Amino acid sequence: MVFASGGYRVKIYDIQAGQARRAQEDISKEMRKLQDSGFLRGLLSAEEQTSLISSHDDLKETLESAFFIQECIYENLSAKQEIFCAVESHVADGVILSSSTSCILPTNVFSKVKNRKRCIVSHPVSMHDILATILFVLWHT
């Protein structure tokens, strides 16, 4: 929702078939609620923001044209490493890879990534009514 509110196209992927579609539907409902309560971020309406979001069951298709990848899964080191290895094989060198890890060291999360200079930790904040921010964590490789 943070990225769509800024006018960016957002593609959602989940390893479980159909889960990305359900997430997209939930996001659409939440955007309408935020708009109705006057807390929707950005200059676009809920309908316009929702139109920027698509769901996919194929990782390669999801990553086409991406310039920023945001991983938002549970805190499991091997799962995060596996995702970033899979993602890296489908994107260009300049694409930013971002993890939402909270308690795993970034050095460990990105240890299997070939081009670590493009890796960051960020937490897109979804409390639209309170904050309009992204928290970035920087570290030395």
Side-chain angles (χ1 to χ4, degrees):
M1 293 169 54
V2 171
F3 299 106
S5 71
Y8 291 100
R9 292 203 170 280
V10 176
K11 295 181 180 182
I12 303 172
Y13 169 82
D14 193 288
I15 195 166
Q16 288 183 298
Q19 185 60 30
R21 180 187 46 77
R22 287 187 290 277
Q24 181 183 8
E25 291 167 359
D26 289 346
I27 290 168
S28 178
K29 289 176 191 174
E30 185 64 25
M31 284 185 170
R32 285 193 300 274
K33 286 181 191 175
L34 289 168
Q35 182 172 281
D36 291 345
S37 65
F39 290 119
L40 184 68
R41 291 189 59 221
L43 301 175
L44 302 176
S45 69
E47 183 178 331
E48 291 169 320
Q49 290 184 36
T50 300
S51 73
L52 295 172
I53 301 171
S54 59
S55 61
H56 304 269
D57 290 327
D58 178 77
L59 181 61
K60 185 176 180 182
E61 176 185 295
T62 306
L63 298 172
E64 289 175 2
S65 306
F67 64 90
F68 184 93
I69 309 295
Q70 179 67 49
E71 163 272 314
C72 297
I73 68 163
Y74 51 93
E75 292 293 280
N76 179 288
L77 177 59
S78 61
K80 288 179 182 286
Q81 289 173 333
E82 186 177 319
I83 285 172
F84 283 114
C85 285
V87 166
E88 189 174 40
S89 69
H90 295 295
V91 297
D93 284 341
V95 174
I96 297 168
L97 305 180
S98 178
S99 175
S100 63
T101 188
S102 296
C103 60
I104 303 172
L105 289 173
T107 305
N108 294 336
V109 171
F110 299 116
S111 66
K112 297 184 179 182
V113 173
K114 292 175 185 150
N115 180 4
R116 291 187 206 138
K117 291 184 182 200
R118 65 174 166 179
C119 299
I120 64 172
V121 171
S122 64
H123 294 272
V125 178
S126 59
M127 298 179 292
H128 302 282
D129 54 332
I130 301 169
L131 299 170
T133 188
I134 296 179
L135 169 67
F136 288 98
V137 178
L138 304 175
W139 82 100
H140 296 283
T141 56

